[in-house]
Amino acid sequence: MANHIQSLEGLEALLKDKIKGQSGNIVINLIGIPKISRSNDIIGNCLQEWLPEWFQDNGLNLEPNPETQAFPDFIAHFDNHEEMVDIKCWNYLNNPAFDIANFDSFYNVLYNNPAKLFAKYLTIGYTPQKHGFTIDYVGLKKLWDITGPSRKRPLNIQVKRQRPYAIRPISFARHPNTSFNSPDELIQAVVETRKLFPNDEIKYSEADWFNKLSLTLEHYRHKM
């Protein structure tokens, strides 16, 4: 029977009730010979494809982001409001290493649409097993809950060819005290990271970016 989900918190509760602790498997059948896949990439990708459909089966109106190259991936529609949400899965035996967003894209998107700072993340940790996998972690997180500094930089990012590439999560499930404590800390870290990697193609200064995000932040604090 479908549930009438009215918030992302309600969706998180449903996941913890119905999915956490459960086992699954992904079978590849070729020439009539089935084999169970234990590949991390395959498990994670299949979960991220299966979960949105299951959410819709349970009464959630989940719309893919029409801006396919921008975060977050989905817009969840409820009776009296809508929320932006991403779904991220990772091997719970390891630190999460999924991409949150491309750094330059993230920087530009937030400047043009600061409300996206308040997108939420449904994070699912799975553990590969001999005959499939188990779901061992479920958490609904804010952006600053899953991001934090690295040992080298104000923001944990992947760097390629001496340029910032992807924003990566910290180990938020096992070490939540390493994350940022507020959106203010996050935007300050983004600005400090931008200063380490200047981009001449960006037409506004770091101060302009920070001031715009700071002003917008005041209008959205009630959503935190």
Side-chain angles (χ1 to χ4, degrees):
M1 180 180 295
N3 297 273
H4 195 49
I5 301 168
Q6 282 305 306
S7 68
L8 291 178
E9 288 73 17
L11 182 59
E12 177 191 29
L14 182 67
L15 276 166
K16 288 182 175 180
D17 180 48
K18 300 295 186 182
I19 298 296
K20 186 179 178 183
Q22 296 298 314
S23 301
N25 60 57
I26 297 164
V27 177
I28 301 170
N29 193 318
L30 184 63
I31 60 170
I33 302 174
K35 296 292 182 182
I36 293 175
S37 173
R38 301 179 188 87
S39 165
N40 287 334
D41 288 343
I42 291 177
I43 294 173
N45 289 338
C46 287
L47 278 172
Q48 288 181 194
E49 183 177 351
W50 184 88
L51 284 166
E53 296 189 13
W54 184 76
F55 295 156
Q56 294 185 56
D57 290 344
N58 282 274
L60 178 64
N61 181 0
L62 196 64
E63 175 192 1
N65 187 342
E67 301 175 34
T68 56
Q69 299 302 312
F71 83 100
D73 288 342
F74 298 99
I75 301 170
H77 298 277
F78 304 105
D79 283 351
N80 57 4
H81 72 291
E82 61 183 34
E83 295 188 62
M84 294 173 283
V85 62
D86 237 333
I87 301 168
K88 298 295 185 183
C89 303
W90 87 101
N91 183 342
Y92 194 56
L93 296 178
N94 304 326
N95 290 332
F98 51 78
D99 291 348
I100 295 173
N102 173 274
F103 180 80
D104 285 333
S105 174
F106 177 87
Y107 193 78
N108 288 323
V109 165
L110 282 189
Y111 185 80
N112 293 306
N113 189 355
K116 289 194 174 186
L117 183 64
F118 293 92
K120 294 179 181 178
Y121 290 77
L122 273 171
T123 58
I124 315 292
Y126 61 86
T127 302
Q129 306 289 349
K130 182 177 181 180
H131 298 295
F133 60 89
T134 55
I135 302 296
D136 295 313
Y137 178 89
V138 171
L140 178 65
K141 300 295 182 181
K142 300 179 179 71
L143 187 54
W144 53 92
D145 292 330
I146 63 174
T147 52
S150 68
R151 293 180 181 178
K152 294 182 178 180
R153 301 180 184 91
L155 179 67
N156 187 31
I157 59 172
Q158 180 188 30
V159 176
K160 291 184 177 181
R161 298 177 182 176
Q162 299 183 327
R163 298 300 304 165
Y165 183 68
I167 300 174
R168 289 285 178 84
I170 46 85
S171 184
F172 59 88
R174 291 189 169 89
H175 304 288
N177 60 323
T178 61
S179 69
F180 295 123
N181 294 312
S182 67
D184 307 78
E185 288 187 9
L186 171 58
I187 65 173
Q188 183 65 52
V190 171
V191 166
E192 295 302 320
T193 304
R194 176 83 284 165
K195 291 177 181 177
L196 295 176
F197 301 95
N199 187 335
D200 294 337
E201 294 181 1
I202 295 175
K203 304 306 180 184
Y204 42 86
S205 69
E206 291 92 351
D208 290 338
W209 188 92
F210 182 78
N211 290 336
K212 183 173 183 179
L213 267 292
S214 296
L215 287 172
T216 306
L217 192 54
E218 295 303 319
H219 296 290
Y220 286 90
R221 287 193 186 277
H222 68 282
K223 295 184 178 181
M224 293 163 50

